[in-house]
Amino acid sequence: MRAFAVILGPAARRGLSRLMPVAHHLRAAGARIRVEYTQTTEQARRCAAEAVDAGEVVVAAGGDGTIRLLAGAVVDAGGLLGVIPAGRGNDLARQLLLPHSPTEVADLLLHGPVRQLDVLRVAGQTIIGSVYAGIDAAANELANRSRLPASLVYPTTGLRALLRWPRTRYTITLDGRTEQVHAYTVVAANCGYYGGGLHVAPAARPDDGALEVVVIRHASRLLFPVALWRMRTGSHVRLRQVTSYRGSSVTVRADRPVAVYGDGDPVCRAAEVHVEVRTGALRIIAG
């Protein structure tokens, strides 16, 4: 039977509340589960590596940022990751169709199959969902300071960021092909969802060895709210101002340093970033 180590950070109230009923079902089934409380990123990574060495499944009880943090450590240590969805966005859980009820989550952790997912590498970090450099990253900076629920925070901060966004030129090099474009954002996606359920890259799959690059070109400021609204269903990709590319790596250069985010957390602020796929690098319990 699998044994589990749940790694919780200092801001883990939501994760803890979601964990407790799941832990009850796991223990009732005879599984061994322990909880590690951590105060820093490095401590969380170290605890995850130690859990892998002990043969335990590392469990992320949180949102996409928590999953990203622990997934990087699991990939490096060659371990296995489990997820208890407990975040504001839960985009990876949405992509993988992970359950949310405590009984179903516990059953999946105990008996679910192991999948091998691709990950993205950028600026020395491991990202599971997507890397984005543009107005959405600027909105993410605002969202991280907001206390609004996910259904309101991402659209609201997106509009606020739009009002401040200057015209920006990008040079995009994808598997040796280069294009220059003025754009609102460039998204390198391993998974289809970001921003709390926006279907930014409908063609993206986390286990196909490729990334999907979605570019929303600059146009009237009325375009971005329309594209944002249509992202709910993925129909924005039919707008003529939206272009998608597919490849194994991409380099994005902006005409000025811009915020670069991955899975809801800051990656860097830079004028150039390189993103590449590591095929099948993450072992995760998922149906």
Side-chain angles (χ1 to χ4, degrees):
M1 181 176 287
R2 290 167 175 162
F4 305 93
V6 183
I7 315 297
L8 293 176
R13 282 177 297 179
R14 186 194 298 260
L16 183 60
S17 65
R18 291 282 297 148
L19 165 65
M20 292 174 65
V22 174
H24 172 77
H25 289 293
L26 291 175
R27 290 189 175 113
R32 180 166 59 86
I33 177 172
R34 64 185 182 88
V35 180
E36 288 276 2
Y37 295 91
T38 64
Q39 296 299 318
T40 66
T41 295
E42 286 308 312
Q43 185 185 5
R45 291 182 182 278
R46 185 171 62 253
C47 288
E50 290 169 353
V52 172
D53 287 343
E56 297 168 313
V57 177
V58 175
V59 178
D64 296 298
T66 300
I67 296 169
R68 176 196 61 78
L69 169 64
L70 296 179
V74 169
V75 167
D76 292 341
L80 178 61
L81 183 71
V83 174
I84 300 174
R88 203 160 50 167
N90 293 324
D91 287 312
L92 181 66
R94 185 176 288 103
Q95 177 76 41
L96 299 180
L97 301 178
L98 298 182
H100 285 264
S101 78
T103 54
E104 290 177 320
V105 171
D107 185 67
L108 178 66
L109 290 173
L110 286 167
H111 309 296
V114 175
R115 291 180 60 181
Q116 289 189 255
L117 302 188
D118 307 331
V119 300
L120 304 180
R121 287 291 292 175
V122 56
Q125 298 187 36
T126 296
I127 304 296
I128 304 177
S130 60
V131 177
Y132 37 102
I135 193 171
D136 41 8
N140 212 149
E141 287 185 312
L142 296 172
N144 285 351
R145 297 194 293 266
S146 174
R147 296 186 178 182
L148 291 172
S151 59
L152 294 176
V153 67
Y154 294 109
T156 301
T157 56
L159 292 175
R160 286 175 59 194
L162 175 64
L163 298 177
R164 306 176 183 181
W165 187 252
R167 184 178 175 89
T168 305
R169 184 181 71 253
Y170 293 89
T171 302
I172 303 166
T173 302
L174 183 74
D175 292 348
R177 306 187 309 272
T178 298
E179 178 179 353
Q180 285 194 352
V181 60
H182 286 89
Y184 284 115
T185 190
V186 179
V187 182
N190 183 46
C191 296
Y193 295 93
Y194 82 163
L198 299 178
H199 208 180
V200 63
R205 299 292 181 269
D207 56 3
D208 62 359
L211 53 79
E212 196 80 10
V213 179
V214 179
V215 181
I216 302 179
R217 298 170 182 266
H218 188 85
S220 163
R221 288 187 184 270
L222 295 176
L223 167 71
F224 196 77
V226 171
L228 193 67
W229 178 258
R230 293 182 62 165
M231 274 186 203
R232 295 172 180 272
T233 61
S235 63
H236 65 291
V237 297
R238 295 198 291 268
L239 295 170
R240 63 180 178 82
Q241 297 90 349
V242 179
T243 307
S244 296
Y245 307 90
R246 186 175 174 81
S248 59
S249 67
V250 63
T251 299
V252 180
R253 301 179 184 89
D255 60 7
R256 60 186 177 87
V258 296
V260 181
Y261 267 61
D263 293 346
D265 286 330
V267 172
C268 61
R269 180 173 293 274
E272 178 177 329
V273 290
H274 178 73
V275 186
E276 61 184 28
V277 178
R278 288 186 61 188
T279 303
L282 174 64
R283 296 173 64 243
I284 187 171
I285 299 172

